[in-house]
Amino acid sequence: MGLHPLEFSECYLDSPCFREKIKAHEAELDKTNRFIKELYKDGKNLINATKQLGMAQRKFAQCLGEFQFEYIGDAKTDDEDCIDKSLQEFSAFLRNLEDQRELMMRNITETLMKPLEKFRKEQLGAVRAGKKKYEKETEKYYSSLEKLLNMSAKKKEPQLQEADGQVEQMRGHFQEESLDYICKLQEIQERKKFECVEPMLAFFQTVFTFYHQGFELAKDFDHYKRELQINIQNTRSRFEGTRSEVYELMKRIRETPQEYRQTSAISCEGYLYVQEKRPPPFGSSWVKRYCTFVKEQKILHMVTFDHRSGGKIGETESITLKSCIRKTTDVLDRRFCLELDITDRPGTVLTVQALSEDDQKFWMQAMGGKEPTGHYLGRTYSKERGIDAQLDDVGLNFVKNSINAIEKRGINDQGLYRVVGVSSKVQKLLSLMIDEKSNDVDLSASEDWDVKTITSALKLYLRSLPEPLMTYGLYKDFIQPAKAGTPESRIQAVHCLVHKLPEKNRQVLGLLMKHLANVAAHSKQNLMTVANLGVVFGPTLMRPQEETVAAIMDLKFQNIVVEILIEQHEKIFADAPTSCPPSPAQPVFTAPTRQSKKMSRQSRPLAVYNPQVLDIQNVSPVTDSVVAGLASDETSMGSNDSMSSHSSSASASETPTDKSDHAPLCSSLSSGSNSNVSSSRKARAVYPCEAEHESELSFQVGAIFNAVTMSREPGWLEGELEGKRGLIPENYVQML
């Protein structure tokens, strides 16, 4: 488990657990700050002490190899995993170059030093400043709160109202600062992944230019460079989507915080001041405790916690509640008090003080409290619904009508589905189309509605359904395979889950995925690759029932699921699966008949990248063959519409480890061998291989094989090299 997400609703509870989570995030950023400082220092040594270059490289490599990014949530995407491992890759590269003392380094100040120092000072520095401000507001608020609660209830009403107003204002400032601070904490945690790695990639580009064999090394490393660029671009894109959702959630919570207060049918929690009586002549004292009330057992757990003592957690006490009655100010000279009758201690009454009148009502409702006269206080909340969209025949016709219009009128429009229409026009169109009396408009022939209005109306319709198209009930099941497993197991799991959807949901989803696949097929014109469409439609088609920061962190996995649905729509929606994989808790792994070769990266040069040479934001959509740097024949090596092959349907790791890495190669060869088995097919080695069995061939990069045919062993070919015939790993060659 990585760092816990910081929920905005917890800002209003300010629990001890919440403060511990904040400390963990702060400690991680402090570690990052120390890491960047050390890296900056070592970089200076590389510039100023060429004679000590070897020693500086070892230290630099060690620093990189020991650091790992912490992630928020319970899993990370393939892209994040690759970014996380990239530091170890860089470390290994530096160790391999230790013997080349002649290396001359220059121009790393602009590409490495300044971006890292800028990130440390501007981003991490802003967090440190925010921490000081947050701690200051904490001290001011709780001091003023205690002062207010200690005021005599016999004071004049204007004085009490003025004091209440001042505390309410300070509470607002404190909660506002808390929201901003935890939002900034989590933003920096996500941002550092690419802000730290990109300058390092630029540094390696500079290093390579000074090697005598730099050109050959860079050429050999081209595959990993492209893969990491895609990882960073995908992570950046998902970061932008996640950040907008987080800000939107923070805005909603800020407007109606009471609706998002963390409570449930099982328990509720918050701060209470507990009266502790002492022997005469000491009287009594009021101690602040964080209380959790378990409704079913009527147990109140109380933890002593003082924000001003460094946030130390004190003793825990649990009591069983018998009854709760509001205490009036004519009985006790303090406001917002409750009288608790305790079962554990017959005859003992515990007096507690809430933080405000609303808070007092909240606890009374939770504990089944009563007024002194006997009536019950309660509070209900309601939410307004938006457009009354339903998944019925009218809605299905609208989806078909919209898709038909988009494919006829705007399939090549740049930014299709990303460029939004005017809100008023979009709502007007959707209201018109879901009205049974006026929904017979043919959008493909109507010039009254432009394409961006139609695409926005279609997305709005899907978002306005009472339940997401992929349902609340199957949300976690869909997300789970995206977090783990092989590309094949992910496809199989999604295939099974799609056929668990209600018939109407599956029908609409199938129509939409077929359409999006068509959109992606025109990505050269509309710039909407499968990955881009996944970002747009992930949160539209699937979302959890509860809006939390933790749920928003799963947006990146929603995108992966949608990418799988688009790329594999023909297989997934054609027929129901004959068998389904076991539950994620009990995975089953089946070893292949013969493992494909896997070569060590330690013997190969690593990262080359310079953002001034290649703009990462403008990396064009690539195919598996382009990513691997293997083929120029698009027909035999796959489509060119997706940048997410390594995160959904086809892994593009540096050395192929599974026959599925280049599945189109198999079909290409099969088509040739079926027509003429004895035909002379040739292939070129794109990776070196050392035979482990007598039946296998050893070869170097560039070796040409003759008379290549399919082998009976899955994942292997047969071919001739230098007069010897043997087995060749299928994903180690490129057909000529």
Side-chain angles (χ1 to χ4, degrees):
M1 182 67 183
L3 295 172
H4 291 281
L6 300 175
E7 300 294 348
F8 292 124
S9 56
E10 290 189 271
C11 294
Y12 296 87
L13 292 175
D14 201 19
S15 66
C17 181
F18 177 60
R19 288 294 180 136
E20 290 298 316
K21 292 178 184 177
I22 290 180
K23 284 185 178 180
H25 279 260
E26 291 172 344
E28 169 60 21
L29 290 183
D30 287 339
K31 184 175 72 171
T32 303
N33 185 60
R34 292 193 299 271
F35 161 70
I36 294 178
K37 279 187 175 180
E38 187 70 17
L39 205 60
Y40 186 85
K41 177 182 177 182
D42 292 337
K44 281 291 186 180
N45 289 336
L46 292 175
I47 297 173
N48 300 325
T50 305
K51 293 181 180 180
Q52 300 178 359
L53 182 60
M55 181 180 63
Q57 280 185 325
R58 287 187 180 276
K59 183 67 174 63
F60 195 65
Q62 180 183 0
C63 183
L64 289 175
E66 293 178 351
F67 183 81
Q68 286 187 334
F69 292 116
E70 290 290 348
Y71 58 92
I72 299 176
D74 58 355
K76 52 186 174 182
T77 64
D78 294 344
D79 297 311
E80 291 173 327
D81 186 56
C82 188
I83 290 176
D84 189 26
K85 293 177 181 177
S86 63
L87 299 185
Q88 283 72 40
E89 298 285 356
F90 301 151
S91 177
F93 166 69
L94 286 176
R95 289 195 300 269
N96 289 336
L97 297 180
E98 178 66 24
D99 295 334
Q100 303 193 38
R101 298 285 183 177
E102 301 82 10
L103 177 65
M104 299 295 293
M105 301 181 65
R106 62 181 180 178
N107 298 330
I108 69 171
T109 300
E110 295 295 328
T111 59
L112 175 67
M113 314 302 288
K114 287 185 178 180
L116 285 177
E117 188 68 0
K118 181 180 178 181
F119 173 76
R120 187 182 70 84
K121 289 183 177 180
E122 295 181 1
Q123 301 297 332
L124 298 181
V127 171
R128 289 195 297 271
K131 179 181 178 182
K132 292 180 180 178
K133 192 174 180 182
Y134 177 58
E135 291 174 346
K136 182 178 179 181
E137 289 295 331
T138 299
E139 173 66 24
K140 288 172 60 178
Y141 167 61
Y142 283 105
S143 295
S144 62
L145 179 61
E146 289 195 1
K147 183 178 179 181
L148 171 70
L149 296 176
N150 285 320
M151 284 183 65
S152 171
K154 295 180 180 179
K155 287 185 177 292
K156 293 182 180 180
E157 186 63 25
Q159 291 178 306
L160 294 175
Q161 290 179 356
E162 181 181 0
D164 287 346
Q166 291 175 351
V167 170
E168 190 62 33
Q169 184 179 12
M170 290 186 180
R171 181 187 292 114
H173 290 163
F174 166 69
Q175 293 171 347
E176 190 82 8
E177 191 60 36
S178 180
L179 288 170
D180 291 338
Y181 181 53
I182 68 168
C183 182
K184 188 65 176 177
L185 274 178
Q186 296 185 112
E187 178 181 334
I188 298 302
Q189 295 285 15
E190 292 293 295
R191 181 187 292 274
K192 67 181 181 182
K193 297 175 185 176
F194 48 82
E195 292 282 4
C196 291
V197 174
E198 277 189 312
M200 295 173 200
L201 282 172
F203 163 75
F204 282 98
Q205 172 66 32
T206 304
V207 171
F208 267 117
T209 59
F210 292 95
Y211 279 105
H212 177 67
Q213 298 179 343
F215 174 77
E216 292 297 329
L217 295 176
K219 182 180 178 182
D220 192 38
F221 188 74
D222 188 63
H223 162 68
Y224 182 76
K225 177 194 69 174
R226 289 183 177 274
E227 181 183 351
L228 188 56
Q229 288 170 342
I230 295 171
N231 296 142
I232 294 173
Q233 181 171 340
N234 287 344
T235 302
R236 185 192 296 274
S237 298
R238 289 165 182 153
F239 163 77
E240 294 296 339
T242 301
R243 183 173 64 170
S244 63
E245 292 288 335
V246 168
Y247 275 98
E248 185 63 28
L249 176 60
M250 182 175 68
K251 179 182 177 182
R252 291 196 297 271
I253 291 181
R254 180 178 287 160
E255 292 171 351
T256 56
Q258 197 64 27
E259 292 189 15
Y260 289 87
R261 180 165 184 174
Q262 285 198 332
T263 183
S264 68
I266 301 174
S267 65
C268 61
E269 51 189 313
Y271 281 101
L272 289 172
Y273 281 78
V274 181
Q275 184 183 33
E276 293 187 354
K277 297 181 180 179
R278 299 178 181 177
F282 299 105
S284 63
S285 63
W286 294 83
V287 180
K288 183 177 67 176
R289 293 192 172 186
Y290 192 81
C291 301
T292 302
F293 180 66
V294 183
K295 298 179 182 179
E296 186 175 349
Q297 289 85 14
K298 289 194 172 183
I299 297 177
L300 183 67
H301 303 284
M302 301 181 293
V303 181
T304 303
F305 184 79
D306 191 349
H307 294 83
R308 296 172 301 177
S309 62
K312 294 182 179 180
I313 300 176
E315 60 181 12
T316 301
E317 182 182 2
S318 299
I319 60 173
T320 303
L321 188 68
K322 182 178 181 181
S323 64
C324 170
I325 299 176
R326 184 175 70 87
K327 207 157 189 175
T328 59
T329 55
D330 56 352
V331 177
L332 180 66
D333 190 20
R334 291 176 79 99
R335 297 187 298 162
F336 320 137
C337 290
L338 300 172
E339 187 177 277
L340 308 181
D341 193 358
I342 304 171
T343 304
D344 316 58
R345 310 169 193 168
T348 302
V349 174
L350 185 67
T351 303
V352 298
Q353 184 179 25
L355 306 184
S356 65
E357 184 178 356
D358 283 344
D359 196 46
Q360 183 186 40
K361 293 177 181 179
F362 169 80
W363 282 106
M364 286 186 67
Q365 179 183 0
M367 297 179 177
K370 297 180 180 179
E371 287 284 333
T373 56
H375 72 270
Y376 175 81
L377 287 181
R379 175 177 296 212
T380 58
Y381 302 95
S382 63
K383 291 186 178 180
E384 297 180 359
R385 276 195 66 186
I387 295 175
D388 186 22
Q390 299 295 328
L391 195 61
D392 51 15
D393 291 339
V394 174
L396 178 59
N397 290 335
F398 168 60
V399 172
K400 292 179 179 178
N401 196 347
S402 300
I403 290 175
N404 186 43
I406 294 166
E407 294 191 348
K408 282 187 177 181
R409 297 172 52 194
I411 194 69
N412 292 322
D413 289 3
Q414 287 193 4
L416 189 65
Y417 284 109
R418 270 193 186 259
V419 179
V420 298
V422 179
S423 178
S424 58
K425 291 184 178 180
V426 172
Q427 293 190 13
K428 182 178 179 181
L429 173 60
L430 181 56
S431 300
L432 175 69
M433 298 306 296
I434 63 177
D435 185 351
E436 295 185 5
K437 298 179 181 179
S438 57
N439 64 354
D440 56 350
V441 178
D442 184 2
L443 296 176
S444 63
S446 174
E447 298 296 331
D448 296 334
W449 309 100
D450 55 21
V451 173
K452 64 182 180 183
T453 301
I454 299 174
T455 58
S456 297
L458 178 57
K459 290 188 293 181
L460 179 59
Y461 165 74
L462 295 171
R463 288 195 299 268
S464 302
L465 292 173
E467 186 177 27
L469 196 60
M470 297 172 71
T471 72
Y472 289 130
L474 292 176
Y475 174 79
K476 290 184 178 179
D477 295 330
F478 272 111
I479 287 293
Q480 190 59 40
K483 293 183 176 181
T486 63
E488 292 76 16
S489 66
R490 292 176 181 175
I491 295 171
Q492 185 183 10
V494 172
H495 188 185
C496 291
L497 291 169
V498 163
H499 288 272
K500 292 182 180 180
L501 291 170
E503 178 62 31
K504 186 74 73 173
N505 295 58
R506 186 167 66 252
Q507 183 182 3
V508 173
L509 186 63
L511 286 172
L512 186 62
M513 291 304 108
K514 182 179 179 181
H515 164 63
L516 295 183
N518 189 20
V519 172
H522 293 77
S523 61
K524 287 186 176 180
Q525 292 78 33
N526 59 38
L527 306 182
M528 294 303 292
T529 63
V530 171
N532 291 337
L533 292 171
V535 171
V536 172
F537 280 92
T540 300
L541 299 177
M542 55 188 302
R543 60 183 182 273
Q545 201 156 7
E546 183 181 2
E547 288 185 299
T548 63
V549 174
I552 292 176
M553 291 303 168
D554 279 343
L555 276 177
K556 50 198 173 187
F557 300 109
Q558 297 175 21
N559 304 345
I560 292 174
V561 173
V562 174
E563 291 168 15
I564 294 173
L565 289 171
I566 296 174
E567 292 177 331
Q568 303 293 328
H569 73 280
E570 292 183 354
K571 173 183 177 181
I572 290 175
F573 293 95
D575 299 301
T578 55
S579 62
C580 289
S583 63
Q586 297 176 336
V588 174
F589 302 96
T590 303
T593 305
R594 181 193 293 262
Q595 294 289 337
S596 297
K597 298 293 185 182
K598 182 177 182 180
M599 76 177 175
S600 170
R601 187 189 293 277
Q602 302 298 328
S603 61
R604 305 183 66 225
L606 301 185
V608 283
Y609 170 67
N610 190 331
Q612 297 176 351
V613 178
L614 177 60
D615 184 3
I616 194 168
Q617 295 296 335
N618 297 320
V619 175
S620 61
V622 293
T623 68
D624 290 352
S625 57
V626 174
V627 170
L630 303 182
S632 59
D633 186 353
E634 290 184 1
T635 305
S636 65
M637 293 303 291
S639 64
N640 64 346
D641 63 348
S642 175
M643 298 177 63
S644 61
S645 58
H646 44 73
S647 63
S648 57
S649 63
S651 175
S653 58
E654 184 207 8
T655 51
T657 58
D658 192 274
K659 64 179 181 179
S660 63
D661 288 358
H662 300 290
L665 177 64
C666 177
S667 59
S668 173
L669 186 56
S670 298
S671 62
S673 58
N674 288 340
S675 61
N676 185 1
V677 178
S678 62
S679 64
S680 178
R681 299 299 305 275
K682 291 187 176 183
R684 181 176 64 238
V686 294
Y687 295 104
C689 176
E690 183 175 353
E692 296 178 355
H693 303 86
E694 293 182 357
S695 60
E696 299 173 10
L697 295 177
S698 296
F699 50 86
Q700 297 297 322
V701 176
I704 303 297
F705 303 92
N706 296 312
V708 179
T709 61
M710 291 297 299
S711 171
R712 294 181 179 179
E713 292 200 49
W716 293 77
L717 306 173
E718 292 184 9
E720 291 183 1
L721 178 65
E722 298 177 352
K724 181 181 178 181
R725 189 168 184 82
L727 293 173
I728 310 164
E730 178 184 311
N731 48 7
Y732 269 53
V733 300
Q734 171 192 353
M735 298 306 297
L736 300 177

